[in-house]
Amino acid sequence: MNATLIAVILALLSAVAYATAAVAQERLAARTGPGGLRRLLAQGAWWSTVGLNSGGALLHVAALKFGPLTLVQPLGALTLVAAVPLGARVAGRRATPDEWRGTALTLIGLGALLPLTASGTTPDETLGTVAALGVAATVLAMVALLAHARRGRGLGHAAASGLTSGAASALTQTLTVAGLALTWRFAVVGVLVAGFAVGGLLLSQTAYTGGLGAPLAVLTLANPTVAAAIGLALLGERVHGGPAGVALAGLGAVVAARGVVLLTRATPPTHTAPPRPEPRTPAEPLVVAEPVLVAEPVLVSAPALVSAR
């Protein structure tokens, strides 16, 4: 079987696992609210989402063994396709038209990268120890800026989660290609991968407090962007198609960004209860109708009338 086909199949299975985990995380975040991370750690349901994310990560690692980073990462956008309608169904509603349009545009934009990055060969380049530490330092600086931004905090956490996940994928490919030899580089890169994976999971959990569609779209867009940047800059991967291919990739990025904007503005329908009567305030006097006395007719017998005369 072709190596690219194997990578695509594994990436699709990984996307399904990630989508299921994202929906479960969003539901848990809605119940606990902001600042409920400690309560989440004590819930078995949250650890089940950790298991789903771990399964998705293992499938993703296997996909990176057979396909280049710039091919496998954009396929993660299918997480959005599965998560948006699944999340709506779990919430007992239908996905809104803006959610469908935003999802479609995001996928079309990211899908434009596939024909430009699919090389059909297995990856063979890896990151050195110095390069891996440089990537980690750059990503951590960007995550710190996004996580502490006052405006758009949820989307900032989603972007930070996407950055850490993309960096973890790039570093993971180094481990899969270089093999499992116990070297200094393997230890350093392994620690960085574990740290980025855990950090990305916690950041996504806080991002889903504000909903599912927009944070997941931002995460899905940031993840392959940073991974592709690392692959092109440090792993010798190339965009096919020359200047036309670069222009098409830029157009795809614009279309995907438009999809994210639509998902950000999408408002799920809410079912409102009928208005309840306002309670009486203590200051208002209680008005009670006074009883009206009605005189009853007196019946007088005939002999009494005669005697009265």
Side-chain angles (χ1 to χ4, degrees), residues 189-234:
V189 175
V191 170
L192 292 176
V193 168
F196 279 140
V198 174
L201 177 62
L202 297 179
L203 286 168
S204 66
Q205 182 65 64
T206 57
Y208 293 143
T209 304
L212 177 66
L216 183 58
V218 171
L219 191 158
T220 304
L221 188 59
N223 190 323
T225 299
V226 67
I230 295 172
L232 293 172
L234 301 176

Side-chain angles (χ1 to χ4, degrees), residues 7-305:
V8 169
I9 293 174
L10 292 172
L12 293 179
L13 294 175
S14 174
V16 172
Y18 278 135
T20 307
V23 172
Q25 283 182 268
E26 190 271 338
R27 300 297 293 174
L28 287 171
R31 290 202 299 264
T32 57
L37 186 57
R38 291 184 179 180
R39 292 194 298 272
L40 285 174
L41 294 177
Q43 296 185 28
W46 188 79
W47 288 103
S48 67
T49 67
V50 174
L52 286 169
N53 277 298
S54 299
L58 291 175
L59 290 167
H60 185 77
V61 169
L64 289 172
K65 182 68 176 178
F66 295 96
L69 190 65
T70 47
L71 168 66
V72 174
Q73 287 302 113
L75 286 173
L78 294 176
T79 300
L80 191 63
V81 173
V84 169
L86 179 61
R89 184 171 182 82
V90 170
R93 62 175 181 86
R94 293 183 178 180
T96 64
D98 279 346
E99 285 178 321
W100 282 119
R101 284 193 290 267
T103 300
L105 289 175
T106 304
L107 290 175
I108 291 171
L110 290 175
L113 298 175
L114 290 180
L116 306 176
T117 57
S119 60
T121 60
T122 57
D124 55 3
E125 296 288 336
T126 60
L127 293 174
T129 304
V130 175
L133 291 173
V135 167
T138 303
V139 171
L140 286 175
M142 298 175 67
V143 167
L145 291 175
L146 290 169
H148 291 86
R150 294 184 178 180
R151 299 184 61 182
R153 189 174 181 84
L155 296 183
H157 283 184
S161 177
L163 290 177
T164 56
S165 300
S169 296
L171 295 171
T172 298
Q173 181 163 303
T174 291
L175 296 179
T176 58
V177 174
L180 300 178
L182 296 178
T183 62
W184 173 251
R185 181 177 65 159
F186 178 86
V188 171
V189 175
V191 170
L192 292 176
V193 168
F196 279 140
V198 174
L201 177 62
L202 297 179
L203 286 168
S204 66
Q205 182 65 64
T206 57
Y208 293 143
T209 304
L212 177 66
L216 183 58
V218 171
L219 191 158
T220 304
L221 188 59
N223 190 323
T225 299
V226 67
I230 295 172
L232 293 172
L234 301 176
L235 294 176
E237 298 181 7
R238 295 289 181 267
V239 175
H240 306 290
V246 175
L248 181 59
L251 179 61
V254 172
V255 173
R258 175 59 181 167
V260 172
V261 171
L262 281 177
L263 285 169
T264 304
R265 296 175 178 175
T267 303
T270 57
H271 301 284
T272 57
R276 301 176 60 184
E278 297 182 359
R280 184 181 61 85
T281 59
E284 294 179 359
L286 181 61
V287 180
V288 180
E290 297 182 358
V292 179
L293 299 178
V294 179
E296 296 182 357
V298 180
L299 298 178
V300 183
S301 61
L305 288 176

